[in-house]
Each structure stands twice: as C-alpha cells, then as structure tokens.
Coordinates of all heavy atoms in Angstrom, one line a residue:
A1 N 0.8 -1.2 0.0 CA 0.0 0.0 0.0 C 0.8 1.3 0.0 O 1.9 1.3 0.7 CB -0.9 0.0 1.2
R2 N 0.4 2.2 -0.8 CA 1.0 3.6 -0.7 C 0.5 4.2 0.6 O -0.5 3.9 1.1 CB 0.5 4.4 -1.9 CG 1.0 3.9 -3.3 CD 0.3 4.7 -4.3 NE 0.9 4.6 -5.6 CZ 0.3 4.1 -6.7 NH1 -1.0 3.7 -6.6 NH2 0.9 4.0 -7.8
P3 N 1.3 5.2 1.0 CA 0.9 5.9 2.3 C -0.5 6.6 2.1 O -1.2 6.8 3.1 CB 2.0 7.0 2.4 CG 3.2 6.4 1.7 CD 2.6 5.6 0.6
T4 N -0.9 6.9 0.9 CA -2.2 7.6 0.7 C -3.3 6.6 0.6 O -4.5 7.1 0.5 CB -2.1 8.5 -0.5 OG1 -1.7 7.7 -1.7 CG2 -1.1 9.6 -0.3
D5 N -3.1 5.3 0.5 CA -4.2 4.3 0.3 C -4.9 4.2 1.7 O -4.3 4.3 2.7 CB -3.6 3.0 0.0 CG -3.1 2.9 -1.5 OD1 -3.4 3.8 -2.3 OD2 -2.3 2.0 -1.7
P6 N -6.2 4.1 1.6 CA -7.0 3.9 2.8 C -6.6 2.6 3.5 O -6.1 1.7 2.9 CB -8.5 3.8 2.3 CG -8.5 4.3 0.9 CD -7.1 4.1 0.4
K7 N -6.8 2.6 4.9 CA -6.4 1.4 5.6 C -7.2 0.2 5.1 O -8.4 0.3 4.8 CB -6.8 1.7 7.1 CG -6.3 0.5 8.0 CD -6.5 0.8 9.4 CE -6.0 -0.4 10.2 NZ -5.9 -0.1 11.6
G8 N -6.5 -0.9 4.9 CA -7.1 -2.1 4.4 C -7.2 -2.2 2.9 O -7.8 -3.1 2.4
H9 N -6.7 -1.2 2.2 CA -6.7 -1.1 0.8 C -5.3 -0.9 0.2 O -4.4 -0.5 0.9 CB -7.5 0.1 0.3 CG -9.0 0.0 0.6 ND1 -9.5 0.0 1.8 CD2 -10.0 -0.1 -0.3 CE1 -10.8 -0.1 1.8 NE2 -11.2 -0.1 0.5
A10 N -5.1 -1.3 -1.0 CA -3.8 -1.1 -1.7 C -4.0 -0.8 -3.2 O -4.9 -1.4 -3.8 CB -2.9 -2.3 -1.5
S11 N -3.2 0.1 -3.7 CA -3.2 0.3 -5.1 C -1.9 -0.1 -5.8 O -1.7 0.2 -6.9 CB -3.5 1.8 -5.4 OG -2.5 2.6 -4.8
R12 N -1.1 -0.8 -5.0 CA 0.2 -1.3 -5.5 C 0.4 -2.7 -4.9 O 0.2 -2.9 -3.7 CB 1.3 -0.3 -5.1 CG 2.7 -0.7 -5.6 CD 3.7 0.4 -5.2 NE 3.7 0.7 -3.8 CZ 4.2 1.8 -3.2 NH1 4.8 2.7 -3.9 NH2 4.2 1.9 -1.9
F13 N 0.9 -3.6 -5.7 CA 1.1 -5.0 -5.3 C 2.5 -5.4 -5.9 O 2.8 -5.1 -7.0 CB 0.0 -5.9 -5.8 CG -1.4 -5.5 -5.3 CD1 -2.1 -4.5 -5.8 CD2 -1.9 -6.1 -4.2 CE1 -3.3 -4.1 -5.3 CE2 -3.1 -5.8 -3.6 CZ -3.8 -4.7 -4.2
A14 N 3.2 -6.3 -5.1 CA 4.6 -6.6 -5.5 C 4.8 -8.1 -5.4 O 4.2 -8.8 -4.5 CB 5.6 -5.8 -4.7
L15 N 5.8 -8.6 -6.2 CA 6.2 -10.0 -6.2 C 7.7 -10.0 -6.3 O 8.3 -9.4 -7.2 CB 5.6 -10.7 -7.3 CG 6.1 -12.2 -7.6 CD1 5.7 -13.1 -6.5 CD2 5.6 -12.7 -9.0
A16 N 8.4 -10.6 -5.3 CA 9.9 -10.7 -5.4 C 10.4 -11.5 -6.6 O 9.9 -12.6 -6.8 CB 10.4 -11.3 -4.1
L17 N 11.4 -11.0 -7.3 CA 11.9 -11.7 -8.4 C 12.5 -13.0 -8.0 O 12.5 -14.0 -8.7 CB 13.0 -10.9 -9.1 CG 12.6 -9.7 -10.0 CD1 13.7 -8.9 -10.5 CD2 11.7 -10.2 -11.1
D18 N 13.1 -13.1 -6.8 CA 13.7 -14.3 -6.2 C 12.7 -15.4 -6.0 O 13.1 -16.6 -5.9 CB 14.4 -14.0 -4.9 CG 15.6 -13.1 -5.1 OD1 16.1 -13.0 -6.3 OD2 16.0 -12.4 -4.2
S19 N 11.4 -15.1 -6.0 CA 10.4 -16.2 -5.9 C 10.0 -16.9 -7.2 O 9.3 -17.8 -7.2 CB 9.1 -15.6 -5.2 OG 8.5 -14.7 -6.1
L20 N 10.6 -16.4 -8.3 CA 10.3 -16.9 -9.6 C 11.4 -17.9 -10.0 O 12.6 -17.6 -9.8 CB 10.1 -15.8 -10.6 CG 8.9 -14.9 -10.4 CD1 9.0 -13.7 -11.4 CD2 7.6 -15.6 -10.6
P21 N 11.1 -18.9 -10.7 CA 12.1 -19.9 -11.2 C 12.9 -19.2 -12.3 O 12.4 -18.3 -13.1 CB 11.3 -21.1 -11.7 CG 10.0 -20.5 -12.1 CD 9.7 -19.4 -11.1
Q22 N 14.2 -19.6 -12.5 CA 15.1 -19.1 -13.5 C 14.5 -19.2 -14.9 O 14.6 -18.3 -15.7 CB 16.4 -19.8 -13.4 CG 17.4 -19.3 -14.5 CD 18.7 -20.1 -14.5 OE1 18.9 -21.0 -13.7 NE2 19.5 -19.8 -15.4
Q23 N 13.8 -20.3 -15.2 CA 13.2 -20.5 -16.5 C 12.2 -19.4 -16.8 O 12.1 -19.0 -18.0 CB 12.5 -21.9 -16.6 CG 13.4 -23.1 -16.4 CD 13.5 -23.5 -15.0 OE1 13.2 -22.7 -14.1 NE2 14.1 -24.6 -14.7
M24 N 11.5 -18.9 -15.9 CA 10.6 -17.8 -16.1 C 11.4 -16.5 -16.4 O 11.0 -15.8 -17.3 CB 9.7 -17.6 -14.8 CG 8.9 -16.4 -14.7 SD 7.8 -16.1 -16.1 CE 7.7 -14.4 -16.1
L25 N 12.4 -16.3 -15.7 CA 13.2 -15.1 -15.8 C 13.9 -15.0 -17.2 O 14.2 -13.9 -17.6 CB 14.2 -14.9 -14.7 CG 13.6 -14.8 -13.3 CD1 14.7 -14.9 -12.2 CD2 12.8 -13.6 -13.1
V26 N 14.2 -16.1 -17.8 CA 14.9 -16.0 -19.1 C 14.0 -16.3 -20.3 O 14.4 -16.4 -21.4 CB 16.1 -17.0 -19.1 CG1 17.1 -16.6 -18.1 CG2 15.7 -18.4 -18.9
A27 N 12.7 -16.5 -20.0 CA 11.7 -16.8 -21.1 C 11.7 -15.6 -22.0 O 11.7 -14.4 -21.6 CB 10.3 -17.1 -20.5
E28 N 11.6 -15.9 -23.4 CA 11.5 -14.8 -24.4 C 10.2 -14.1 -24.4 O 10.1 -13.0 -24.8 CB 11.8 -15.4 -25.7 CG 13.3 -15.8 -25.9 CD 13.5 -16.2 -27.4 OE1 12.8 -15.7 -28.3 OE2 14.4 -17.0 -27.5
Q29 N 9.1 -14.8 -23.9 CA 7.8 -14.2 -23.8 C 7.0 -14.9 -22.8 O 7.3 -16.0 -22.4 CB 7.1 -14.3 -25.2 CG 6.8 -15.7 -25.7 CD 6.2 -15.7 -27.1 OE1 5.9 -14.7 -27.6 NE2 6.0 -16.9 -27.6
F30 N 6.0 -14.2 -22.2 CA 5.2 -14.8 -21.2 C 3.8 -14.1 -21.3 O 3.7 -13.0 -21.9 CB 5.7 -14.7 -19.8 CG 6.0 -13.3 -19.3 CD1 5.0 -12.5 -18.8 CD2 7.3 -12.8 -19.4 CE1 5.2 -11.2 -18.3 CE2 7.5 -11.5 -18.9 CZ 6.5 -10.7 -18.4
V31 N 2.8 -14.7 -20.6 CA 1.5 -14.0 -20.5 C 1.3 -14.1 -18.9 O 1.5 -15.1 -18.3 CB 0.4 -14.8 -21.2 CG1 -1.0 -14.2 -20.8 CG2 0.6 -14.8 -22.7
L32 N 0.9 -12.9 -18.4 CA 0.6 -12.8 -17.0 C -0.9 -12.6 -16.9 O -1.4 -11.7 -17.5 CB 1.3 -11.7 -16.3 CG 0.9 -11.3 -14.9 CD1 1.0 -12.5 -14.0 CD2 1.7 -10.1 -14.4
K33 N -1.6 -13.5 -16.2 CA -3.0 -13.4 -16.0 C -3.2 -13.0 -14.5 O -2.6 -13.7 -13.6 CB -3.8 -14.7 -16.3 CG -3.5 -15.2 -17.7 CD -4.8 -15.3 -18.4 CE -4.5 -15.9 -19.8 NZ -5.3 -15.3 -20.8
L34 N -4.0 -11.9 -14.3 CA -4.2 -11.4 -12.9 C -5.7 -11.6 -12.6 O -6.5 -11.5 -13.5 CB -3.8 -10.0 -12.8 CG -2.3 -9.7 -13.0 CD1 -2.1 -8.2 -13.3 CD2 -1.5 -10.1 -11.8
S35 N -6.0 -11.7 -11.3 CA -7.4 -11.8 -10.9 C -7.6 -11.1 -9.5 O -6.7 -11.1 -8.7 CB -8.0 -13.2 -10.9 OG -7.3 -14.0 -10.0
Y36 N -8.8 -10.6 -9.4 CA -9.1 -9.9 -8.1 C -10.6 -10.1 -7.9 O -11.4 -9.9 -8.8 CB -8.8 -8.4 -8.2 CG -9.5 -7.5 -7.2 CD1 -9.2 -7.6 -5.9 CD2 -10.5 -6.7 -7.6 CE1 -9.8 -6.8 -4.9 CE2 -11.2 -5.9 -6.6 CZ -10.8 -6.0 -5.3 OH -11.4 -5.2 -4.4
A37 N -11.0 -10.6 -6.7 CA -12.4 -10.8 -6.5 C -13.0 -9.8 -5.4 O -12.3 -9.5 -4.5 CB -12.6 -12.3 -5.9
A38 N -14.2 -9.3 -5.7 CA -14.8 -8.4 -4.8 C -16.3 -8.5 -5.0 O -16.8 -8.5 -6.1 CB -14.3 -7.0 -5.0
A39 N -17.1 -8.5 -3.9 CA -18.5 -8.4 -3.9 C -19.1 -9.5 -4.8 O -20.0 -9.2 -5.6 CB -19.0 -7.1 -4.3
G40 N -18.5 -10.7 -4.8 CA -19.0 -11.8 -5.6 C -18.7 -11.8 -7.0 O -19.1 -12.6 -7.8
E41 N -17.9 -10.8 -7.5 CA -17.4 -10.7 -8.9 C -15.9 -10.9 -8.9 O -15.2 -10.5 -8.0 CB -17.7 -9.4 -9.5 CG -19.2 -9.2 -9.9 CD -19.3 -7.9 -10.7 OE1 -19.0 -8.0 -11.9 OE2 -19.8 -6.9 -10.2
T42 N -15.4 -11.6 -10.0 CA -14.0 -11.7 -10.2 C -13.6 -10.9 -11.4 O -14.2 -11.1 -12.5 CB -13.6 -13.2 -10.4 OG1 -14.0 -13.9 -9.2 CG2 -12.1 -13.3 -10.6
F43 N -12.7 -10.1 -11.3 CA -12.1 -9.3 -12.4 C -10.8 -9.8 -12.8 O -10.0 -10.2 -11.9 CB -12.0 -7.8 -12.0 CG -13.3 -7.2 -11.5 CD1 -13.6 -7.0 -10.2 CD2 -14.3 -6.8 -12.5 CE1 -14.8 -6.5 -9.8 CE2 -15.5 -6.3 -12.0 CZ -15.7 -6.1 -10.7
T44 N -10.6 -9.9 -14.1 CA -9.3 -10.5 -14.6 C -8.6 -9.5 -15.5 O -9.2 -8.6 -16.1 CB -9.6 -11.8 -15.3 OG1 -10.4 -11.5 -16.4 CG2 -10.2 -12.8 -14.4
G45 N -7.3 -9.7 -15.6 CA -6.5 -8.9 -16.5 C -5.5 -9.8 -17.2 O -5.1 -10.8 -16.6
S46 N -5.1 -9.5 -18.4 CA -4.1 -10.3 -19.1 C -3.1 -9.4 -19.7 O -3.4 -8.4 -20.3 CB -4.8 -11.1 -20.2 OG -3.9 -11.9 -20.9
I47 N -1.8 -9.8 -19.5 CA -0.7 -9.0 -20.1 C 0.3 -9.9 -20.8 O 1.0 -10.6 -20.2 CB 0.1 -8.3 -18.9 CG1 -0.9 -7.5 -18.1 CG2 1.2 -7.5 -19.5 CD1 -0.3 -7.0 -16.8
P48 N 0.2 -9.9 -22.1 CA 1.2 -10.7 -22.9 C 2.5 -9.8 -23.0 O 2.4 -8.6 -23.2 CB 0.6 -10.9 -24.3 CG -0.5 -9.9 -24.4 CD -0.9 -9.4 -23.0

C-alpha cells in the first residue's frame, strides 16, 4: 500500500523476483493473468 491508500486497501502490489524460477526469468515471452475478487465478482487482466 502507498501511504495515501485507505487502511485495508492497496493500489500497488509486488512480487519478489527471487520467488520466480530461473526458467521464467529467461523466457523470451510470457503471459501474466491477474485476478481480483470483490462483492461476488471476479475481475481479470491479461498482459502478454
């Protein structure tokens, strides 16, 4: 969370590079699929 985000909310999310396998880090291409659920709905995003 940024300092300006309300308590219990976040507008920034992070993942340590060290948590990913080497094969992922050297891949020429990838697709990242993201999801977030709220109020019974799931929102998804895709980043090739």
Side-chain angles (χ1 to χ4, degrees):
R2 294 175 166 116
T4 56
D5 289 341
K7 185 175 180 164
H9 290 67
S11 60
R12 180 176 56 199
F13 297 83
L15 172 69
L17 287 176
D18 295 337
S19 67
L20 296 171
Q22 178 184 357
Q23 296 88 345
M24 167 59 208
L25 297 174
V26 298
E28 289 185 29
Q29 62 185 356
F30 62 81
V31 174
L32 172 59
K33 303 239 182 216
L34 296 164
S35 64
Y36 163 71
E41 283 192 75
T42 300
F43 301 101
T44 61
S46 180
I47 304 167

